[in-house]
Amino acid sequence: MNTPDPEFVYLQLAQRLADAIGTGAFAPGERLPSVRMLAQRERVSIATALATYRHLENRRLVEARPKSGYFVRARPPRLAEPEAPAAKRAPAFVGVNRLVMEILDASQDPNVVALGAACPSSSLFPNSKLQRMLGARARRRPEALGEYGMATGAESLRHQIAQRAFGYGCRIEPEEVIVTNGCMEALNIALHAVAAPGSVVALESPTYFGVLQIVESLGMKALEIPTSPRTGLSLDALDLATRKPGAVSALLVMPNFSNPLGCLMPDANKKRMVELMAERGIPVIEDDIYGDLHFGDRRPKPAKAWDRTGNVLLASSFTKTVAPGLRVGWIAPGRWFAQVSMLKFISTISTAELGQEVIAEFMANGGYDHHLRRLRRAFREQVGRMTDAIERHFPAETRVTRPAGGFVLWVELPASVDALALFQAASAKGVSLGPGMIFSPTGRYTHHLRLNCGLPWSDRLETAMRDVGQAARRLASRPGGDVVRRPQQSWGTRCTPLPPTASGEGGGWGQQSAHLWWGVHPFPRLCRGKVGMGAAASDSGQRCLLQPRHRHRHAVARHPRDHQLVEVDRALAHRPPIDVRIGAERDMQRDHAVDSGPQGLRDELGVGQVLAEDAGIDALLDDGQEQSIGVGIGIGVFFRQE
């Protein structure tokens, strides 16, 4: 008779007790069953029961009191979850900056604590077993090194993928699967197959920066759809964004434990989303790379399980679960199979077959499910430890997600904490972070972070979280927070740096720099009233921000009191300005735009004006109203505070 692994038993028992504490079954300060009582009730040894409590004590969930036993540790109020973002502006051309490469480079540096890239520790993967299997496979089939593999992938792996897909509700035949070089290639060729350059792709907001890089490389525009940290993509916002035929060419979504939110879309929402997109003829590209990393008892179904027309292109990979180094992913593209298979051939011809065959063998008889159970336990514990560290070290107003799977956390800091300033402060301490603005095509989430929980807990990680938390507290305590250069995009034909200027040092705007640009650009109009480029006054007198998205770089200014970006421009002197209003009007109207920037800038530059023509492109407003995009021609001077 096989006896359970005692190490597995105490970890399993500890997790059950941790779940009970988390749900309130044991209140803070309440006495837990004695070691002897726990051992009798759970039918385990005294040593196992004692190891269980010591493990919970290390996790700071319980505390031992002399001659009294173990008690639930009194903890500060649990951090709230971040709020779902409001609906965003018009579709934007994507410009993901060099921070992405800095974060990825840091993930390979052994001297850096890599919390920025979603890369699990290599110690969590079955490296030794896969190495033996790979060596044996190479000895049995040495000719595989001298042959091109099948363009669609090894038959053995496609069979295993189809078999497992059947287990979670997807009817996929082996011949409907194409093996790719990781999930990124799968998403790349899928998007290339279903949408053309210049078209609009609807995305979750926030979304994985790798997806934004794909959209950028294909010359497409991204439309951000509000996404809840708990239930995922807002279907009401998606419905509104896709009502106009042809407005959106594709939807790219991660319903199961999205990156970076970790949210899980309910089955009813998945079904409604698939049916809505099929009805409107909009293909759905589903990234299910984290689907196997659930913390619950059952693996959630992909949205593909409700696909009856082949409109869902399901993509996944083994890079987060088995072997990142083998770079084996796959896609089941449905009715887009012919286009995707041709693009796969054009891009990389095929994927190395030895790695595919090793993974297929591991799935068939090498303990894949056992490995996944251990990996899920590790990630669940590491997410819990990271959450505890955030509660201990970060500012009190911090919010953090509670993912039901995966291994990333999305952290919302107080609004005065600039994530880029925190990124730089952490880098100086040897810690890499994922600042929130790289998860948005329009540079949103300036006080958010994504944290990687793929590293086993250690004293080094505890120190890193303490250092990051202390830096966040320092930034939160500064009046107005820190202001950091945050480049924007510019379509202008020229962008020339101007000499720095000083204005109101001490308590005003401080050191400023300016850039001059000229050319044609689009900009969203975000409030009712007279609107010029840059900050403008609405009918209610509130600030309205206009942030052009272009291809050159220009600087923007952040007001130290209200932390809002301010952009000021001067129209061409020989052109009369035009007042552009939101609403049903489609005719050009002439008037002066009203600048509501700081008084010093108004006195220096005069009233902001712009020549514009209403293009009548519908988009989503922050308050749900309809808006348009105007096309402007002008010369602008953009200031920012140093």
Side-chain angles (χ1 to χ4, degrees), residues 274-355:
V274 170
E275 292 175 348
L276 179 66
M277 295 297 96
E279 177 184 328
R280 296 180 178 178
I282 300 173
V284 178
I285 302 171
E286 179 179 13
D287 182 354
D288 194 45
I289 195 171
Y290 293 100
D292 280 335
L293 299 179
H294 55 94
F295 298 160
D297 295 332
R298 284 186 172 185
R299 188 204 193 281
K301 294 181 179 180
K304 178 73 172 176
W306 287 272
D307 181 23
R308 299 294 179 265
T309 63
N311 194 51
V312 178
L313 299 84
L314 177 63
S316 188
S317 174
F318 299 98
T319 55
K320 303 296 186 186
T321 55
V322 181
L326 291 180
R327 302 303 305 158
V328 176
W330 59 272
I331 184 169
R335 64 188 177 91
W336 304 93
F337 183 88
Q339 295 93 320
V340 171
S341 59
M342 178 54 67
L343 288 168
K344 165 63 182 175
F345 175 77
I346 292 171
S347 59
T348 55
I349 299 180
S350 65
T351 302
E353 282 207 350
L354 274 180

Side-chain angles (χ1 to χ4, degrees), residues 114-125:
L115 302 181
C119 298
S121 169
S122 62
S123 64
L124 298 174
F125 297 115

Side-chain angles (χ1 to χ4, degrees), residues 553-610:
R553 303 290 180 182
H554 67 257
V556 295
R558 181 185 288 271
H559 194 290
R561 290 186 295 277
D562 60 15
H563 320 302
Q564 296 199 53
L565 299 177
V566 178
E567 300 177 358
V568 183
D569 82 301
R570 181 179 294 160
L572 292 173
H574 63 281
R575 297 281 189 173
I578 296 175
D579 175 31
V580 184
R581 299 178 183 273
I582 294 177
E585 301 95 337
R586 290 293 181 260
D587 296 328
M588 298 171 61
Q589 302 177 28
R590 298 177 180 271
D591 198 355
H592 285 281
V594 181
D595 170 45
S596 65
Q599 185 65 40
L601 289 181
R602 292 179 61 188
D603 293 343
E604 182 178 352
L605 295 178
V607 177
Q609 300 175 349
V610 69

Side-chain angles (χ1 to χ4, degrees), residues 159-172 302 305 314 330:
H159 176 79
Q160 287 296 324
I161 291 170
Q163 190 175 77
R164 296 187 70 84
F166 181 81
Y168 48 73
C170 295
R171 296 184 179 181
I172 300 173
L314 177 63
W330 59 272

Side-chain angles (χ1 to χ4, degrees), residues 397-470:
E397 300 84 1
T398 300
R399 295 169 175 259
V400 63
T401 51
R402 301 173 197 148
F407 55 89
V408 296
L409 286 173
W410 183 247
V411 181
E412 181 181 334
L413 299 162
S416 58
V417 178
D418 190 296
L420 191 52
L422 184 58
F423 170 83
Q424 294 169 345
S427 296
K429 290 283 189 177
V431 182
S432 173
L433 304 175
M437 66 283 297
I438 67 174
F439 297 90
S440 165
T442 53
R444 308 180 76 184
Y445 311 112
T446 56
H447 59 283
H448 295 70
L449 296 174
R450 187 196 68 179
L451 294 179
N452 171 33
C453 303
L455 308 177
W457 197 254
S458 64
D459 292 341
R460 186 186 182 206
L461 193 52
E462 172 71 30
T463 301
M465 290 297 292
R466 184 191 65 212
D467 290 344
V468 174
Q470 289 175 350

Side-chain angles (χ1 to χ4, degrees), residues 7-159:
E7 180 183 10
F8 173 82
V9 171
Y10 96 82
L11 287 175
Q12 191 177 52
L13 180 55
Q15 188 58 50
R16 291 213 307 271
L17 282 170
D19 291 342
I21 293 171
T23 58
F26 292 101
E30 185 175 349
R31 187 174 189 271
L32 294 165
S34 67
V35 172
R36 188 177 299 278
M37 184 181 300
L38 182 67
Q40 291 175 349
R41 189 180 68 185
E42 299 294 334
R43 297 182 180 180
V44 297
S45 66
I46 295 292
T48 298
L50 188 58
T52 298
Y53 278 140
R54 286 177 176 169
H55 179 74
L56 292 173
E57 192 175 17
N58 289 337
R59 290 180 58 180
R60 302 175 64 86
L61 294 176
V62 306
E63 59 185 4
R65 298 180 185 175
K67 299 182 180 180
S68 298
Y70 286 91
F71 291 78
V72 177
R73 188 183 182 93
R75 304 173 68 200
R78 189 177 181 91
L79 297 177
E81 287 183 290
E83 297 180 353
K88 196 54 180 173
R89 313 168 167 84
F93 281 103
V94 178
V96 179
N97 58 35
R98 58 182 173 80
L99 282 180
V100 171
M101 297 313 300
E102 288 186 30
I103 292 166
L104 296 179
D105 289 344
S107 70
Q108 304 300 315
D109 188 343
N111 298 316
V112 173
V113 180
L115 302 181
C119 298
S121 169
S122 62
S123 64
L124 298 174
F125 297 115
N127 301 321
S128 297
K129 186 166 192 175
L130 293 176
Q131 181 186 33
R132 292 193 298 269
M133 295 170 65
L134 185 59
R137 176 71 59 171
R139 287 192 295 272
R140 290 197 302 269
R141 286 196 59 221
E143 69 278 4
L145 297 175
E147 297 176 348
Y148 285 102
M150 295 178 59
T152 54
E155 185 177 353
S156 58
L157 179 59
R158 290 186 289 135
H159 176 79

Side-chain angles (χ1 to χ4, degrees), residues 467-485:
D467 290 344
V468 174
Q470 289 175 350
R473 288 178 182 272
R474 286 195 301 271
L475 292 173
S477 65
R478 295 182 182 181
D482 270 16
V483 178
V484 180
R485 177 180 293 274

